[in-house]
Every structure is written in structure tokens, then in C-alpha cells.
């Protein structure tokens, strides 16, 4: 990953683009080299004969070059993003990366934030794919500079293309990976349209002979907490999640669904399908997920970031935000454990069967 030793600690985000690039080349950032992690093992019922592969899911960057921090530490979204890329560079060679949505925060800085994303991802030495998130399809009228179609055009060839926001590919023979767009223009919640459901079912039917299918969405198909089904937090869910899951359950080779959006780590198996909600880079615990798939099963590993000061500040921001009181009005600090993962299986356990 040549180029990721550049830093931005002293970069002034009000620079024009040319000065910004010069700043990236000259500024330095000191990192400790510590990686925090946890593992989960999801076994297959039988051994599948396909080539081992690995990938990373990075979600909810909310890049905002002049952002203000709320429960999302957007004031540090750029260095947190670069820190995540550093961790990618330290992993064994990945087969691909997918960015799971909300790469760019909507608002007046979206065009410049996209510019930063494009300039840094050019250093990646593995293929990467992109899902849209709600912030990419919910521009602030009269304020945001970019629309859904702008992102589809900017990220064409990364799964996306103008007019197409869902995609699929075979990472290795015998395995299908589906990026299923469930975003709704102007809304935080997700919903699979009748047209997109037909596309999904067609993909599943055409690949029913594959050994394994993995599906990725931005919004959740399975709640991470009972509150996700209450009106106040329904924005984290796909509205017709039950319908989507019903379709997926018809295909025995669908074994894993990966989502982001809620900025929390959760792993739950329903029937044959394991639903994984992954943490955000911009919100505590400031982590992403590493996946390794082989004939024995699916290994999941959380990767934390180096900058402990920024992560500690992200924790303070999370606990102080009204979001924490929505989770637990009496003890808002409990939201930290929820975001990191309430159980060992969510964040640290290794399951062998």
C-alpha cells in the first residue's frame, strides 16, 4: 500500500485542493503500531471445497473535511479514515475491500470530502467495491453539492455505475458476493423496492449452485437490539426486512449477511444465516471487520485503530450524545458496550464447533 505513510496531523482543512495535496505529502503522524482485535468463527455444516479468501468491510466513515463532532467524531473523520487504511496495510494481503456506505457525510463539504476519499483510496493495492449509504442519497437541499447519481458516476467500476447501485461478483470460484442497495432517497431507513427484490431473487436463483453466497447491505436486515423495532430507532432498519430475509432463507447457500449503518457490533445467527452488524470508523469503537473464508468456515475479526486519543474522545462524544440516552435513559454509559458488542460472540469470542 504505497503512499499510506503520508499523514495529515498538521493539515489545515480549509486549504484549497492543491495545497491540501502538498500538505498530505509533507505532514507527519505518529502511530503506535498497536492493533486491537477480536475473532468469531462461523462453521459450515460441511466442508466446502473452494479457495481461501479474505476481505475487509469498512463502513460509516462520514468523511467531513470541516466537520463538527457529535456522536460521530467527524472533526477527526479524515485521520480516522487514514488510520483505518494503515491497519489495512498491515493485514495479510486481502482479496478485496468493500466500503459499506456513508463514506461521505452529506452537507456543504461533501464534494471536498469525496475528493479526499478518492485521493487516499488510490493507494489501495487491492480491488475495492462500494455500497451507497443514506448520507450519499440524502443530500441537504440547497446545501449539499452531490447527489446519488454523482456518487454512482464517481465510483463507477467499484461495483457501482450510473443507473446501477446493486452489484455482485465472484471473489473465488464457487462463491458469490452480493452488494444489495436498500437505500431510500432522502431517508435514513432502508427499504428494498419491488424492482430491487426481483433483481436480488434473480441473482440468488442464477447462483443457487454456488457453495456460498454472502450478501451486504447498508441498513440492517436483523435488529441489533429490540429498540431497533421501536419507532425511535426504526431508521436503522430496512423497512421490509422480513420480506428480504424470507427471500434469502429460501437459498441454503446464503450463509452470511453483513451490514453497517447503526455504528454497532453485533453477530447473530437466525436459522442458517449469520447476520453481522459492523462498527463504524467515525464512532466509538472506531473499528472495522476483517473476514477470512475457507472450507472450514468464516472467520471474523474486529480491527481497532491506533490513535487511542481519538478513540477515547469518540467514546466521550458517544456517551454525552442524546443517542446514548435513547439507548438507556437511566445509564447512558451502557451505549459504549452496545457499540463495541455486548457479548463475546459480538466482539471477542471464537466459536468452534
Amino acid at each position: 500500500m504505497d503512499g499510506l505513510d503520508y499523514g495529515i496531523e498538521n493539515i489545515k482543512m480549509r486549504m484549497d485542493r492543491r495545497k491540501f495535496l502538498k500538505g498530505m505529502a509533507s505532514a507527519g503522524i505518529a502511530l503506535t503500531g498497536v492493533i486491537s482485535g477480536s475473532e468469531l468463527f462461523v462453521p459450515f455444516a460441511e466442508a466446502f471445497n473452494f479457495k481461501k479468501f479474505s476481505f475487509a468491510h469498512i463502513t460509516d466513515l462520514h468523511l467531513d473535511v470541516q466537520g463538527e463532532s457529535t456522536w460521530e467524531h467527524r472533526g477527526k473523520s479524515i485521520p480516522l479514515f487514514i488510520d483505518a487504511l494503515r491497519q489495512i496495510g498491515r493485514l495479510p494481503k486481502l482479496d478485496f475491500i468493500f466500503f459499506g456506505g456513508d463514506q461521505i457525510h452529506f452537507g456543504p463539504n461533501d464534494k471536498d470530502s469525496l475528493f479526499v476519499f478518492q485521493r487516499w483510496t488510490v493507494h489501495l493495492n487491492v480491488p475495492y467495491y462500494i455500497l451507497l449509504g443514506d448520507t450519499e442519497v440524502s443530500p441537504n437541499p440547497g446545501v449539499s453539492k452531490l447527489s446519488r447519481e454523482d456518487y454512482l458516476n464517481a465510483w463507477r467500476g467499484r461495483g457501482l455505475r450510473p443507473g446501477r447501485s446493486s452489484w455482485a461478483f465472484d471473489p473465488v470460484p464457487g462463491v458469490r458476493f452480493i452488494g444489495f442497495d436498500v437505500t431510500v432517497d432522502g431517508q435514513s431507513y432502508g427499504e428494498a423496492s419491488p424492482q430491487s427484490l426481483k433483481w436480488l431473487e434473480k441473482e440468488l436463483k442464477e447462483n443457487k449452485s454456488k457453495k456460498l453466497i454472502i450478501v451486504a447491505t447498508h441498513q440492517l436486515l436483523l435488529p441489533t437490539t429490540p429498540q431497533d423495532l421501536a419507532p425511535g430507532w426504526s431508521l436503522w432498519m430496512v423497512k421490509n426486512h422480513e420480506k428480504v430475509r424470507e427471500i434469502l432463507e429460501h437459498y441454503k447457500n446464503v450463509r452470511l449477511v453483513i451490514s453497517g449503518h447503526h455504528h454497532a457490533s453485533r453477530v447473530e445467527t437466525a436459522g442458517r444465516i449469520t447476520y453481522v452488524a459492523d462498527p463504524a470508523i467515525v464512532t466509538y469503537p472506531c473499528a472495522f471487520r476483517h473476514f477470512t473464508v475457507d472450507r472450514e468456515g468464516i472467520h471474523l475479526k474486529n480491527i481497532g485503530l491506533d490513535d487511542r486519543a481519538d478513540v477515547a474522545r469518540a467514546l466521550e462524544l458517544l456517551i454525552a450524545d442524546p443517542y446514548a440516552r435513547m439507548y438507556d435513559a437511566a445509564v447512558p454509559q451502557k451505549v459504549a458496550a452496545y457499540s463495541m458488542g455486548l457479548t463475546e460472540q459480538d466482539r471477542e469470542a471464537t466459536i468452534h464447533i
Side-chain angles (χ1 to χ4, degrees):
M1 189 178 298
D2 296 335
L4 287 185
D5 286 331
Y6 298 147
I8 65 162
E9 183 176 354
N10 299 314
I11 290 175
K12 296 179 180 178
M13 299 314 299
R14 297 180 185 273
M15 292 179 178
D16 62 28
R17 294 180 178 184
R18 183 173 299 175
K19 291 180 179 178
F20 179 79
L21 287 176
K22 289 181 179 178
M24 286 196 294
S26 62
I29 184 169
L31 297 177
T32 63
V34 176
I35 297 179
S36 60
S38 57
E39 292 189 19
L40 169 75
F41 177 75
V42 180
F44 291 147
E46 62 278 346
F48 289 158
N49 187 21
F50 54 72
K51 180 183 175 183
K52 177 180 177 180
F53 67 98
S54 64
F55 63 94
H57 177 215
I58 300 176
T59 189
D60 295 277
L61 296 165
H62 288 269
L63 294 180
D64 194 348
V65 297
Q66 297 181 38
E68 296 181 1
S69 293
T70 57
W71 73 297
E72 299 165 344
H73 197 6
R74 293 202 309 276
K76 290 289 188 178
S77 60
I78 305 300
L80 288 170
F81 170 46
I82 293 172
D83 197 342
L85 294 182
R86 286 182 183 277
Q87 306 310 324
I88 291 291
R90 293 169 179 169
L91 293 172
K93 182 69 178 290
L94 300 172
D95 290 273
F96 66 95
I97 298 166
F98 85 95
F99 292 92
D102 288 1
Q103 285 74 233
I104 311 301
H105 195 73
F106 50 54
N109 306 316
D110 56 0
K111 193 171 184 179
D112 290 332
S113 299
L114 174 61
F115 172 78
V116 173
F117 180 87
Q118 301 288 66
R119 293 302 302 181
W120 281 93
T121 52
V122 75
H123 297 299
L124 293 171
N125 62 356
V126 297
Y128 67 89
Y129 300 83
I130 292 179
L131 275 176
L132 297 181
D134 52 291
T135 64
E136 282 103 10
V137 304
S138 303
N140 290 339
V143 178
S144 297
K145 299 177 177 64
L146 300 174
S147 66
R148 171 195 283 264
E149 288 304 316
D150 290 323
Y151 288 111
L152 292 178
N153 186 62
W155 289 326
R156 67 169 66 208
R158 302 298 178 182
L160 305 173
R161 70 184 186 198
R164 188 185 74 176
S165 52
S166 291
W167 43 265
F169 73 104
D170 291 358
V172 296
V175 178
R176 191 69 167 170
F177 193 104
I178 299 174
F180 185 44
D181 179 29
V182 291
T183 58
V184 179
D185 288 357
Q187 302 293 339
S188 293
Y189 63 79
E191 186 169 14
S193 68
Q195 182 179 2
S196 67
L197 288 173
K198 288 180 181 178
W199 178 89
L200 176 63
E201 190 135 34
K202 180 174 181 290
E203 269 293 321
L204 296 171
K205 285 180 179 178
E206 289 178 351
N207 291 278
K208 62 184 180 180
S209 63
K210 294 283 198 312
K211 299 298 185 182
L212 171 66
I213 293 179
I214 300 171
V215 178
T217 63
H218 181 62
Q219 288 91 346
L220 302 171
L221 289 178
L222 195 73
T224 61
T225 168
Q227 286 147 273
D228 286 340
L229 300 178
W233 271 18
S234 61
L235 74 159
W236 306 118
M237 296 293 300
V238 175
K239 268 194 170 184
N240 54 345
H241 57 91
E242 292 179 338
K243 176 62 176 177
V244 180
R245 293 206 312 271
E246 180 183 348
I247 291 173
L248 297 178
E249 288 163 4
H250 286 161
Y251 298 86
K252 292 183 178 181
N253 55 351
V254 177
R255 301 300 304 276
L256 181 66
V257 174
I258 306 167
S259 304
H261 189 48
H262 206 338
H263 301 203
S265 185
R266 175 71 172 161
V267 177
E268 183 174 352
T269 299
R272 292 175 57 89
I273 302 175
T274 297
Y275 294 84
V276 177
D278 282 343
I281 296 297
V282 78
T283 302
Y284 181 81
C286 306
F288 64 91
R289 193 91 76 167
H290 176 231
F291 296 78
T292 302
V293 185
D294 58 29
R295 60 183 299 167
E296 294 180 353
I298 305 171
H299 306 256
L300 289 71
K301 183 175 184 180
N302 285 346
I303 306 295
L305 304 186
D306 278 336
D307 195 327
R308 294 181 178 182
D310 281 347
V311 174
R313 179 56 181 156
L315 174 58
E316 293 173 354
L317 291 165
L318 173 64
I319 292 173
D321 196 82
Y323 171 88
R325 293 189 290 277
M326 290 179 69
Y327 179 73
D328 192 310
V331 189
Q333 294 85 351
K334 287 184 178 180
V335 76
Y338 162 71
S339 296
M340 179 174 284
L342 290 173
T343 69
E344 292 295 314
Q345 177 173 292
D346 295 325
R347 55 190 176 87
E348 295 182 357
T350 301
I351 302 172
H352 296 285
I353 298 179

